[in-house]
């Protein structure tokens, strides 16, 4: 059941609360068992995990046909302080695999398994993190997501992590912010390896809804250009924008619903229930590069990205039609301070 933050009931200590806690622990065991089974679908291509040192910051992800985005994605997160990338390639045929093989800080697995039947790649990621992420702070991202956070230009991830640990925190949230171009989708070309923000300059500064969901007490954010352009009559079907991309990992943890929520449930408590603020980031979402039109046609046929893909045919058709998402209310992205002023990220006292 969803709640507004001010209406969120206190955590239960009753018999019912204990029963719910038992159910969540059992669910976590099931997810870890699935990850152990699904590891058989992965073939190791390059294994550089022996170079992972104590305290290294890791980034885990599943990719398919992301050769255009990967050079900038890797460079951006290296600048932030990622030491090693753990990547599962899901049957790319655009050169992504060869590109990743050549990266000295990438360990790479390959699979032709079903993305949907692996819980949209979560079973593979849970296994990779179970095996290699224990005790490390780990980013879990998609190739079309670029993490920014307060002071990220001058304070790398080790500084952020030191601040989070000083606050007694083991995870940090980030809202996914859809960026889009000035013109219709696909009208201007993107050169791989260049900054996608030079093309995707605009975003929606408002029209976001926020709730807290039980029993995990995780945030649930929706809105932005995809909600207004593709789901105006049923915004609750729009993509979910809340994520928890940065976690100090343990082999006992498991992603439950994309990177929107995980177990144990305490890792989802990334907001101050008393009305204060905790440090948060933003994932700049580069989904709307020109390739979105061809990719939408392919994904509509593959039917791998939604639990009920038949319900989202109109969404893909809307993308294939190459709409113009910019409106007179759109804002040009200028940096994290702008996002803080709009309430989309928070320093949470970090000065």
């Amino acid at each position: 059941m969803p709640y507004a933050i001010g209406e969120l009931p206190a955590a239960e200590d009753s018999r019912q609360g204990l029963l719910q806690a038992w159910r969540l622990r059992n669910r976590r065991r099931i997810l870890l068992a699935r990850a152990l089974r699904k590891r058989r679908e992965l073939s190791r291509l390059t294994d550089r995990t022996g170079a992972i040192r104590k305290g290294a910051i890791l980034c885990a992800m599943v990719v398919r046909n992301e050769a255009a985005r990967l050079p900038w994605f890797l460079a951006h997160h290296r600048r932030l302080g990622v030491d090693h990338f753990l990547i599962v390639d899901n049957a790319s045929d655009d050169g992504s695999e060869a590109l990743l093989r050549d990266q000295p800080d990438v360990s790479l697995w390959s699979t032709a398994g079903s993305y949907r039947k692996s819980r949209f790649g979560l079973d593979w990621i849970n296994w990779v993190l179970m095996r290699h992420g224990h005790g490390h702070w780990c980013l879990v991202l998609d190739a079309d997501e670029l993490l920014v956070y307060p002071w990220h230009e001058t304070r790398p991830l080790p500084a952020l992590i030191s601040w989070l640990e000083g606050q007694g925190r083991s995870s940090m949230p980030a809202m996914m912010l859809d960026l889009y171009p000035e013109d219709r989708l696909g009208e201007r070309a993107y050169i791989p390896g260049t900054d996608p923000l030079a093309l995707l300059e605009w975003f929606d500064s408002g029209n976001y809804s926020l709730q807290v969901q039980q029993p995990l007490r995780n945030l649930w954010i929706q809105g932005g250009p995809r909600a207004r352009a593709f789901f105006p009559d049923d915004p609750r079907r729009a993509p979910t924008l809340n994520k928890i991309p940065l976690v100090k990992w343990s082999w006992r943890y498991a992603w439950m619903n994309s990177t929107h929520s995980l177990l144990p449930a305490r890792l989802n408590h990334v907001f101050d229930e008393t009305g204060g603020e905790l440090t948060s980031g933003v994932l700049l979402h580069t989904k709307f590069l020109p390739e979105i039109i061809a990719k939408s046609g392919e994904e509509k046929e593959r039917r791998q990205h939604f639990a009920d893909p038949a319900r989202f045919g109109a969404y893909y058709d809307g993308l294939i039609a190459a709409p113009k998402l910019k409106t007179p209310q759109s804002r040009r992205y200028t940096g994290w301070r702008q996002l803080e002023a709009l309430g989309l990220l928070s320093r949470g006292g970090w000065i």
Side-chain angles (χ1 to χ4, degrees):
M1 178 177 179
Y3 293 90
I5 290 179
E7 302 171 349
L8 189 64
E12 296 185 57
D13 294 324
S14 63
R15 181 179 301 177
Q16 183 178 359
L18 292 173
L19 178 60
Q20 184 62 61
W22 177 86
R23 287 172 176 162
L24 291 177
R25 283 195 298 271
N26 191 52
R27 177 62 175 160
R28 178 156 49 105
R29 294 187 188 104
I30 291 170
L31 294 178
L32 292 174
R34 280 184 60 101
L36 285 168
R37 291 196 303 272
K38 285 288 186 174
R39 76 186 190 280
R40 302 187 186 99
E41 296 182 356
L42 302 179
S43 299
R44 196 188 311 267
L45 297 182
T46 58
D47 183 3
R48 300 184 177 98
T49 56
I52 297 175
R53 55 178 173 76
K54 183 178 180 180
I57 298 169
L58 309 181
C59 177
M61 57 193 298
V62 176
V63 303
R64 174 181 165 80
N65 289 344
E66 295 290 4
R69 284 190 177 89
L70 282 168
W72 188 266
F73 174 94
L74 294 170
H76 174 83
H77 292 98
R78 285 169 180 148
R79 285 193 294 270
L80 292 185
V82 170
D83 296 297
H84 200 88
F85 297 86
L86 306 168
I87 302 181
V88 176
D89 181 84
N90 187 200
S92 292
D93 56 14
D94 71 337
S96 293
E97 181 182 302
L99 185 157
L100 291 169
R101 278 179 181 267
D102 291 338
Q103 306 301 313
D105 53 359
V106 170
S107 292
L108 182 63
W109 292 261
S110 177
T111 180
S114 168
Y115 183 73
R116 186 178 171 197
K117 290 181 180 179
S118 71
R119 295 192 313 116
F120 309 104
L122 293 182
D123 292 332
W124 302 328
I125 288 295
N126 279 341
W127 159 248
V128 168
L129 290 177
M130 185 192 306
R131 181 67 180 84
H132 300 289
H134 180 74
H136 293 273
W137 279 88
C138 298
L139 281 173
V140 181
L141 302 171
D142 293 331
D144 59 8
E145 296 171 345
L146 302 172
L147 176 67
V148 297
Y149 53 84
W151 315 110
H152 70 92
E153 309 100 321
T154 56
R155 300 183 189 177
L157 284 167
L160 173 63
I161 287 167
S162 178
W163 166 256
L164 294 173
E165 290 181 335
Q167 300 294 303
R169 297 176 61 191
S170 300
S171 56
M172 188 194 77
M175 174 180 158
M176 187 163 64
L177 187 70
D178 287 320
L179 301 174
Y180 46 85
E182 172 108 17
D183 306 312
R184 293 170 64 93
L185 300 185
E187 283 196 359
R188 288 191 288 161
Y190 170 69
I191 301 172
T194 62
D195 185 355
L197 273 60
L199 179 62
L200 307 177
E201 301 178 86
W202 300 90
F203 70 99
D204 284 19
S205 61
N207 78 308
Y208 297 104
S209 65
L210 182 150
Q211 295 178 321
V212 180
Q213 292 199 323
Q214 293 281 50
L216 298 182
R217 299 170 83 87
N218 59 295
L219 291 177
W220 201 257
I221 302 173
Q222 292 175 292
R226 285 184 288 173
R228 66 171 165 81
F230 305 115
F231 301 93
D233 300 325
D234 192 2
R236 291 301 175 197
R237 290 177 56 212
T240 308
L241 304 178
N242 53 283
K243 294 201 168 186
I244 307 175
L246 182 61
V247 181
K248 187 172 185 181
W249 202 257
S250 164
W251 67 268
R252 299 179 180 87
Y253 296 171
W255 292 106
M256 188 167 178
N257 177 17
S258 182
T259 50
H260 308 310
S261 61
L262 69 162
L263 294 171
R266 62 178 173 79
L267 297 169
N268 302 305
H269 304 167
V270 292
F271 59 96
D272 189 334
E273 297 183 13
T274 65
E277 293 187 357
L278 297 178
T279 305
S280 63
V282 161
L283 297 176
L284 302 177
H285 195 208
T286 66
K287 181 181 182 69
F288 295 120
L289 288 178
E291 64 183 28
I292 184 62
I293 298 170
K295 278 198 168 190
S296 295
E298 178 187 1
E299 294 306 327
K300 182 180 179 182
E301 294 298 320
R302 292 182 69 239
R303 300 166 63 88
Q304 291 290 301
H305 278 270
F306 295 101
D308 184 6
R311 296 181 62 203
F312 289 86
Y315 170 58
Y316 284 124
D317 289 341
L319 289 168
I320 293 167
K324 181 176 181 178
L325 296 176
K326 182 177 177 290
T327 72
Q329 290 74 42
S330 297
R331 295 283 191 103
R332 188 189 297 270
Y333 176 72
T334 61
W336 69 266
R337 289 174 178 81
Q338 174 195 38
L339 302 182
E340 181 186 34
L342 293 168
L344 300 179
L345 64 68
S346 172
R347 276 183 266 191
W350 191 25
I351 58 175

